[in-house]
Amino acid sequence: MNPKIEVNDLNLWFGRVHILQDIDIIIPANQVTAVIGPSGSGKSSLLRCFDRTNELITRTKTTGHIVIDGRDLAFEDPLDLRSRVGMIFQQPASLPGSIYENVAVGPRLFGIRDRRKLDVIVEESLTRAALFNELKDRLKKSAGALSGGQKQRMAIARALALNPEVLLFDEATSALDPISTQRVEDLIDKLKSTTTIIMVSHNMQQAARVSDHTLFMNVEEDGAARVVEFGPTDKIFTNPEDEKTERYITGRFG
Amino acid sequence: MRRRVYDRIVQIILIAIASMMALFLIYLVGYIIGSGIRGFSFGFLTRAPSGITQTGGVWPMIASSMYLIGLTLLIAVPLGVGGGIYLAEYAGQGRIVETIRFAVDILSSVPSIVFGLFGLALFVQFFGLKYSMLSGALTLTLMVLPLLLKISEESFRAVPVTYREASLALGATKDQTIFRIILPTALPAVFTGVLLSAGRAFGETAAVLYTAGLSPTTPVFPLDGGRTLSTHLYLLATTGKIEESFKVAMVLLVVILVFNVLSNVVISRFRRRFIKEAR
């Protein structure tokens, strides 16, 4: 197991509010790590630490380190970082314009203008998102007409167009129907050969099905969220060490 | 039972009020077109008025009105849309922004004759622009700016936050996000604001009377004076040429109706697209 991301003693504040406390984890490369925990347990905030988008929303303060492949995120150019760390949201955005435009957004932002290059990138990304065959005849049509599941896979293709090393899924299937969810899960399984995946999920079955490692987070009365337990998914779901983990995954709290 | 009767009565009253409004509009439009159409020919649109009475054609007035709208939009749209972007995306909150908003609200409730007088003092006299298209356009710009600013700001705010997130998460800068993602999305709504402004500028009389002048000639350069359709109508009506003024009124009304229909079409298209997106 190669480590991809090392989180050392990470603390995060939004203004004066302590959000994450003493997070110490190692995310393995080319595997799926699920982040579970009740609402408000800092899962999305942790995810946003990895592409440094927390700081876009509010005044943040961070201590500790997040290191990807030996490089400390704090010293990286955030825009550059975000191209290497893709984020998939719960509500997929279909931007104005065609499906093609939607996928080509990222490369264009980073200055790729050449039409042939873009054509290749768009086709590759849609293929990797298992969407190309479905949509190849209407790449120039508006993306607004796609179904929710297709939009989500298009959003994945959009992230893939920048060839990211890490993909973050923030409850990416919780607005989708079971069949679309299944497709996205299959996709995640395929994508882990080339990327490291971290997914926040409220669906315990999904976390158990899809992930290799599971991180259970919880927030105590005193405020900030902490890691309760982190380990191989099999172990967390069959033989958790912490009693709270067991109660959460069996649906008795949270 | 009583509640139902009451409900019914309220309903009937409301329908009556609504139909009265509709009937009044139909009557108004019908009356003006009915009075204007008498002796109307297409030559009226293409001829210049002649003689001391200045009747028989409105071509220079149509040209002046269009010239004035074009020039006004040329100045007002960059300012209004730019200001809207600033207020929606960059300004945040604070005393300066509050002051800007307050000023805009005040500006939008100033009577147009006051704008006219102000334009006369500032542009026509102080800056020496004379009675000209440019003076008129600058004055009209001040007048339509609040509307344009407000509609642009709201159009930008109406863009779903998911668009912003998606763009920023790809590593876009703020400027890239605004100009490549948000502006294209908001454009149809901004366009309705532009059409509404154009409609207002077109129908405006008082602000133009003192600034664009009354010369019944076709303007060529921005410093040429001209007489718009609405000021022409005002002059005709105040000098007792009622029949002729109804013809002009008809032309004005038809153009304004076209403006309104056009902006409604754009608005409904925009809405439909957003409903589709939301699903």
Side-chain angles (χ1 to χ4, degrees), chain B residues 60-115:
Chain B
M61 291 76 198
I62 292 176
S64 296
S65 283
M66 293 302 167
Y67 199 118
L68 202 56
I69 288 177
L71 200 57
T72 303
L73 293 183
L74 214 61
I75 304 168
V77 169
L79 288 176
V81 176
I85 293 179
Y86 172 74
L87 286 178
E89 302 292 337
Y90 290 98
Q93 267 137 14
R95 194 167 289 170
I96 299 171
V97 180
E98 288 308 307
T99 315
I100 293 177
R101 289 230 169 78
F102 184 66
V104 168
D105 285 342
I106 296 284
L107 211 58
S108 66
S109 55
V110 171
S112 61
I113 187 92
V114 177
F115 277 107

Side-chain angles (χ1 to χ4, degrees), chain A residues 50-177:
Chain A
F50 297 126
D51 71 348
R52 287 182 57 185
T53 43
N54 279 323
E55 59 202 69
L56 294 175
I57 301 162
T58 165
R59 191 180 291 265
T60 59
K61 187 186 143 197
T62 315
T63 62
H65 301 277
I66 301 177
V67 179
I68 299 186
D69 286 338
R71 286 170 298 182
D72 193 323
L73 289 198
F75 303 119
E76 296 222 18
D77 172 41
L79 302 182
D80 219 44
L81 172 73
R82 282 172 208 141
S83 75
R84 291 191 285 116
V85 178
M87 174 81 87
I88 314 296
F89 299 94
Q90 181 180 349
Q91 290 293 337
S94 64
L95 303 174
S98 65
I99 295 160
Y100 184 99
E101 307 283 330
N102 262 273
V103 179
V105 165
R108 281 194 172 140
L109 288 171
F110 286 86
I112 296 180
R113 294 267 178 282
D114 184 58
R115 192 76 196 181
R116 268 164 304 169
K117 252 188 217 165
L118 285 174
D119 286 349
V120 173
I121 292 173
V122 168
E123 178 172 346
E124 267 179 18
S125 312
L126 283 169
T127 307
R128 287 176 73 191
L131 203 56
F132 186 70
N133 286 332
E134 246 167 276
L135 300 181
K136 63 182 169 203
D137 300 324
R138 45 185 181 130
L139 292 183
K140 306 286 174 189
K141 297 262 171 65
S142 163
L146 297 180
S147 73
Q150 286 173 325
K151 277 184 191 167
Q152 191 57 292
R153 280 179 289 147
M154 182 180 75
I156 294 171
R158 181 160 54 213
L160 288 172
L162 289 167
N163 217 357
E165 306 157 26
V166 179
L167 277 177
L168 311 169
F169 287 77
D170 195 352
E171 289 180 50
T173 62
S174 52
L176 301 184
D177 63 84

Side-chain angles (χ1 to χ4, degrees), chain B residues 214-233:
Chain B
L214 296 167
S215 129
T217 50
T218 305
V220 180
F221 299 106
L223 286 177
D224 291 350
R227 186 194 291 184
T228 66
L229 273 172
S230 51
T231 40
H232 186 52
L233 171 61

Side-chain angles (χ1 to χ4, degrees), chain B residues 81-150:
Chain B
V81 176
I85 293 179
Y86 172 74
L87 286 178
E89 302 292 337
Y90 290 98
Q93 267 137 14
R95 194 167 289 170
I96 299 171
V97 180
E98 288 308 307
T99 315
I100 293 177
R101 289 230 169 78
F102 184 66
V104 168
D105 285 342
I106 296 284
L107 211 58
S108 66
S109 55
V110 171
S112 61
I113 187 92
V114 177
F115 277 107
L117 211 58
F118 178 74
L120 173 69
L122 187 70
F123 303 123
V124 178
Q125 294 174 345
F126 184 76
F127 285 122
L129 301 175
K130 295 179 290 185
Y131 291 114
S132 66
M133 290 292 110
L134 187 58
S135 301
L138 288 168
T139 310
L140 283 178
T141 295
L142 291 181
M143 222 185 80
V144 299
L145 206 53
L147 180 75
L148 211 47
L149 208 60
K150 223 168 202 153

Side-chain angles (χ1 to χ4, degrees), chain B residues 44-58:
Chain B
F44 184 71
L45 298 177
T46 55
R47 271 195 307 266
S50 55
I52 310 167
T53 52
Q54 303 215 322
T55 53
V58 288

Side-chain angles (χ1 to χ4, degrees), chain B residues 202-222:
Chain B
F202 189 77
E204 184 48 43
T205 316
V208 171
L209 195 60
Y210 300 147
T211 52
L214 296 167
S215 129
T217 50
T218 305
V220 180
F221 299 106

